[in-house]
Amino acid sequence: QIAQKYNAQSFTINCVCPEKVVMQRMRMRTKEFSLSDATPEIYYRIKENLEKVKDKKNYIEIDTSKPIKKNLDRITRFIKHA
């Protein structure tokens, strides 16, 4: 609605990664200072209640287990060609 109000495009960038990576990242956070309060229980609750994106217009899914530069390049190309 905001994009329509200002005559701008909106984009949905869905960040995902394999569950194994999610669990590894959570374990690493327990070993160092982190502001995240994520736990496997919270992860599974969110995963269970996650709504699928219905409108795939201007939608891209990014795997955050991939290199950041690769993902940023992909997002940039996606937005330029939208």
Side-chain angles (χ1 to χ4, degrees):
Q1 294 174 342
I2 293 173
Q4 288 176 337
K5 180 179 177 180
Y6 292 100
N7 198 28
Q9 280 188 293
S10 65
F11 300 92
T12 302
I13 302 171
N14 187 22
C15 298
V16 299
C17 71
E19 189 169 293
K20 180 179 177 181
V21 174
V22 172
M23 295 303 159
Q24 288 172 340
R25 289 175 178 172
M26 278 192 260
R27 277 193 300 277
M28 285 184 351
R29 286 184 190 135
T30 63
K31 297 175 184 176
E32 58 191 42
F33 176 77
S34 174
L35 296 175
S36 173
D37 62 351
T39 64
E41 293 80 17
I42 292 171
Y43 167 78
Y44 288 119
R45 191 174 336 125
I46 291 171
K47 183 178 176 183
E48 184 178 304
N49 293 306
L50 190 65
E51 293 182 32
K52 297 287 182 192
V53 175
K54 294 175 185 162
D55 183 4
K56 300 271 181 152
K57 182 181 179 203
N58 292 337
Y59 171 89
I60 187 171
E61 190 168 277
I62 296 297
D63 182 344
T64 64
S65 68
K66 305 289 185 211
I68 292 172
K69 177 155 180 22
K70 181 178 178 180
N71 281 335
L72 289 175
D73 289 346
R74 193 165 163 237
I75 292 167
T76 301
R77 281 193 313 273
F78 171 74
I79 290 172
K80 283 182 179 179
H81 295 109

